């Protein structure tokens, strides 16, 4: 092969390739290429479920979560924005097996493809949840959840039994609430483990012991918050049947407000938290403080419902916004900002650690020194809400009064009586009271009645004119 042939035909096929004219080339910029690929990924694959091990978890101050899902052979980058991760029922951790639901997309500034997660579930919770539902259905069929077997709590208990871990935060919260609300009551602690294989038999044995001794007026069965696995001892059938056997009324305060266990369904009364259980078993020292607490609870529930409704509306609007081009660019820019922020945090992390420790110590000291600060703020907030409610009612009544006056004036304007006031009369027959609108309807000599704006006249027909 000659050198001339090599220059004209690099492929060696005997004919040189023909380059496209410059005017007909479709030349993409890098940004355009990444945008096209992102559109193809999002429209071609759609929303999918992916299971894997969670790693490289980062939580910047924006509230977004960034992590990777991996298995033995590969990994994929993931992003879960604040509007979605605020609905997660658990806090993810490194190495946890999870199932993620979302859509495949592309982070345009780096050209990395990623999964935008909308829902995140613990992969290990499925079997536990099925076991929970099966036991719940069986015990409900036996009548263990029936309302008629629930016992009333004593109004002023002299001694309160607490079945919980002696070293957890739950016992500290309970003792603090009891000391503040009803310091005259004595407290007897039945120490038990609240997590692990030994927890369920120990809790059942403590309940049986408290029932046999009968030296308490009411029992509190409590534990701090945790995952479904952490709370599993309170879903054990042995604990449920020990609660049923117990001769003392039992109040449960297990986990957080959203956590429900089998023990909660079997107990005589469920509280959302351990401190809430302590508040339920003792009365308040001052009646006015109790009423204030009730009002605060009602206002808080109303605000939670309002905030929940507004959060749902906001989440729906954000989903609609994310489907448009400006929203996508905003999310891409937000990710880039988060990356820069994480780099800055790593650079100053060592220096901030010492200051953070000093600040935490000062905050705890200040909190201990001012226990009534939060109560004062709540009372001021209640006063402000009462004034706002009164002003709103007055404004509503004024608006309704103005509407009523306007309607009365409009009715007066179209009233027949107003027409009579302008000199007109209503002519009716004396015989049947029917209205006369045509001269041909009456006869000569017939008696008629003319109603005026003020009074009426008795008439007799002498002549008719067309």
């Amino acid at each position: 092969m000659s050198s001339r042939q090599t220059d004209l035909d690099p492929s060696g096929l005997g004919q040189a390739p023909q380059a496209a004219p410059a005017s007909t080339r479709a030349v993409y910029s890098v940004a355009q290429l990444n945008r096209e690929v992102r559109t193809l990924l999002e429209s071609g694959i759609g929303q999918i479920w992916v299971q894997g091990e969670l790693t490289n978890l980062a939580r910047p101050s924006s509230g977004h979560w960034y992590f990777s899902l991996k298995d033995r052979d590969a990994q994929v980058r993931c992003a879960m924005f604040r509007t979605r991760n605020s609905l997660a029922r658990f806090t993810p951790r490194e190495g946890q097996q999870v199932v993620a639901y979302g859509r495949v997309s592309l982070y345009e500034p780096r050209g990395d493809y990623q999964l935008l997660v909308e829902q995140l579930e613990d992969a290990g919770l499925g079997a536990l949840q099925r076991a929970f539902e099966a036991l719940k259905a069986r015990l409900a069929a036996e009548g263990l959840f029936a309302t008629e077997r629930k016992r009333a709590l004593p109004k002023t208990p002299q001694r309160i039994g607490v079945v919980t871990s002696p070293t957890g935060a739950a016992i500290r919260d309970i003792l603090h609430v009891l000391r503040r609300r009803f310091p005259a009551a004595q407290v007897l602690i039945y120490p038990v483990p609240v997590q692990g294989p030994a927890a369920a038999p120990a809790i059942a044995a403590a309940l049986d012991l408290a029932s046999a001794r009968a030296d308490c007026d009411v029992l509190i069965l409590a534990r701090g918050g945790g995952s479904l696995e952490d709370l599993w001892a309170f879903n054990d059938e042995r604990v449920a049947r020990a609660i049923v056997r117990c001769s003392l009324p039992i109040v449960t305060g297990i986990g957080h407000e959203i956590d429900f266990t089998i023990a909660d369904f079997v107990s005589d009364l469920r509280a959302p938290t351990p401190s809430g259980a302590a508040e339920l078993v003792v009365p308040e020292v001052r009646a006015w403080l109790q009423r204030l607490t009730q009002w605060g609870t009602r206002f808080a529930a109303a605000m939670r419902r309002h905030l929940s409704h507004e959060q749902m509306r906001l989440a729906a609007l954000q989903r609609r916004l994310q489907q448009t081009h400006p929203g996508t660019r905003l999310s891409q820019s937000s990710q880039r900002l988060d990356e820069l922020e994480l780099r800055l945090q790593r650079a100053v992390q060592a220096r901030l650690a010492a200051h953070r420790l000093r600040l935490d110590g000062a905050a705890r000291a200040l909190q201990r020194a001012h226990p009534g600060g939060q109560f004062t703020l709540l009372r001021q907030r209640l006063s402000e809400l009462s004034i706002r409610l009164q002003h709103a009612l007055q404004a509503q009544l004024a608006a309704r009064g103005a509407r009523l006056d306007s309607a009365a004036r409009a009715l007066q304007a179209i009233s027949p009586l107003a027409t009579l006031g302008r000199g007109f009369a209503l002519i009716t027959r004396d015989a049947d009271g029917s209205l006369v609108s045509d001269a041909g309807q009456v006869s000569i000599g017939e008696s008629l009645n003319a109603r005026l704006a003020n009074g009426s006249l008795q008439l007799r027909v002498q002549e008719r004119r067309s």
Side-chain angles (χ1 to χ4, degrees), residues 129-149:
Q129 189 65 35
R130 289 191 295 272
F132 172 86
E133 296 296 338
L135 179 59
K136 178 182 175 183
R138 183 157 55 86
L139 296 183
E142 296 182 20
L144 270 62
F145 303 163
T147 305
E148 53 269 17
R149 61 163 296 274

Side-chain angles (χ1 to χ4, degrees), residues 184-249:
Q186 299 178 358
V187 180
L188 179 61
I189 300 176
Y190 291 87
V192 293
V194 293
Q195 184 174 342
I203 295 172
L207 293 174
D208 290 337
L209 177 61
S211 178
R213 294 177 58 174
D215 52 0
C216 296
D217 300 312
V218 63
L219 291 179
I220 296 177
L221 178 59
R223 186 207 189 281
S227 64
L228 181 61
E229 298 95 326
D230 297 336
L231 303 178
W232 193 250
F234 298 91
N235 293 320
D236 194 284
E237 184 175 358
R238 292 168 292 184
V239 173
R241 297 197 180 276
I243 294 175
V244 175
R245 290 193 304 268
C246 186
S247 60
L248 304 174

Side-chain angles (χ1 to χ4, degrees), residues 125-167:
L125 293 181
L128 292 180
Q129 189 65 35
R130 289 191 295 272
F132 172 86
E133 296 296 338
L135 179 59
K136 178 182 175 183
R138 183 157 55 86
L139 296 183
E142 296 182 20
L144 270 62
F145 303 163
T147 305
E148 53 269 17
R149 61 163 296 274
K150 306 288 186 179
R151 293 162 292 192
L153 304 183
K155 294 184 178 181
T156 55
Q158 301 301 311
R159 178 178 289 180
I160 302 168
V162 182
V163 181
T164 188
S165 170
T167 60

Side-chain angles (χ1 to χ4, degrees), residues 71-361:
D71 55 19
R72 187 177 59 183
D73 301 319
Q75 67 176 1
V76 61
R77 293 179 181 269
C78 302
M80 190 172 187
F81 298 116
R82 180 176 57 188
T83 57
R84 304 307 304 172
N85 63 44
S86 61
L87 304 177
R89 296 179 58 87
F90 70 99
T91 301
R93 61 183 184 275
E94 290 284 338
Q96 184 177 9
Q97 286 289 329
V98 296
V99 179
Y101 177 75
R103 56 188 175 88
V104 178
S105 183
L106 184 81
Y107 182 42
E108 296 180 16
R110 286 202 310 263
D112 294 340
Y113 99 92
Q114 60 183 358
L115 181 68
L116 298 180
V117 180
E118 296 185 4
Q119 182 177 344
L120 195 65
E121 298 179 358
D122 189 338
L125 293 181
L128 292 180
Q129 189 65 35
R130 289 191 295 272
F132 172 86
E133 296 296 338
L135 179 59
K136 178 182 175 183
R138 183 157 55 86
L139 296 183
E142 296 182 20
L144 270 62
F145 303 163
T147 305
E148 53 269 17
R149 61 163 296 274
K150 306 288 186 179
R151 293 162 292 192
L153 304 183
K155 294 184 178 181
T156 55
Q158 301 301 311
R159 178 178 289 180
I160 302 168
V162 182
V163 181
T164 188
S165 170
T167 60
I171 187 61
R172 293 195 298 271
D173 294 341
I174 290 172
L175 293 177
H176 174 73
V177 173
L178 295 179
R179 184 164 51 248
R180 172 175 56 84
R181 288 177 60 90
F182 199 65
Q186 299 178 358
V187 180
L188 179 61
I189 300 176
Y190 291 87
V192 293
V194 293
Q195 184 174 342
I203 295 172
L207 293 174
D208 290 337
L209 177 61
S211 178
R213 294 177 58 174
D215 52 0
C216 296
D217 300 312
V218 63
L219 291 179
I220 296 177
L221 178 59
R223 186 207 189 281
S227 64
L228 181 61
E229 298 95 326
D230 297 336
L231 303 178
W232 193 250
F234 298 91
N235 293 320
D236 194 284
E237 184 175 358
R238 292 168 292 184
V239 173
R241 297 197 180 276
I243 294 175
V244 175
R245 290 193 304 268
C246 186
S247 60
L248 304 174
I250 297 177
V251 179
T252 53
I254 302 167
H256 300 298
E257 186 172 358
I258 61 174
D259 298 321
F260 282 85
T261 65
I262 297 297
D264 292 320
F265 295 111
V266 181
S267 66
D268 298 291
L269 188 61
R270 175 198 177 263
T273 60
S275 58
E279 292 180 354
L280 291 176
V281 299
V282 293
E284 183 54 85
V285 177
R286 300 175 183 175
W288 65 267
L289 186 57
Q290 180 181 8
R291 291 196 298 269
L292 184 62
T293 302
Q294 292 173 350
W295 292 338
T297 302
R298 292 174 58 186
F299 279 128
M303 289 302 298
R304 282 195 298 269
R305 289 193 297 270
H306 179 71
L307 289 176
S308 176
H309 175 71
E310 293 301 321
Q311 287 175 348
M312 292 176 63
R313 290 182 62 245
L314 179 60
L317 292 175
Q318 287 177 335
R319 285 195 299 271
R320 292 175 57 188
L321 183 61
Q322 289 172 358
Q323 294 173 358
T324 63
H325 183 266
T328 303
R329 293 187 60 188
L330 180 61
S331 65
Q332 302 283 348
S333 300
S334 176
Q335 285 187 250
R336 178 59 179 167
L337 180 61
D338 291 337
E339 289 180 353
L340 296 175
E341 182 182 12
L342 289 174
R343 292 172 57 187
L344 179 61
Q345 288 177 351
R346 286 192 293 269
V348 299
Q349 184 176 6
R351 185 173 180 180
L352 288 178
H355 293 286
R356 189 178 294 110
L357 290 175
R358 293 177 57 192
L359 182 60
D360 290 342

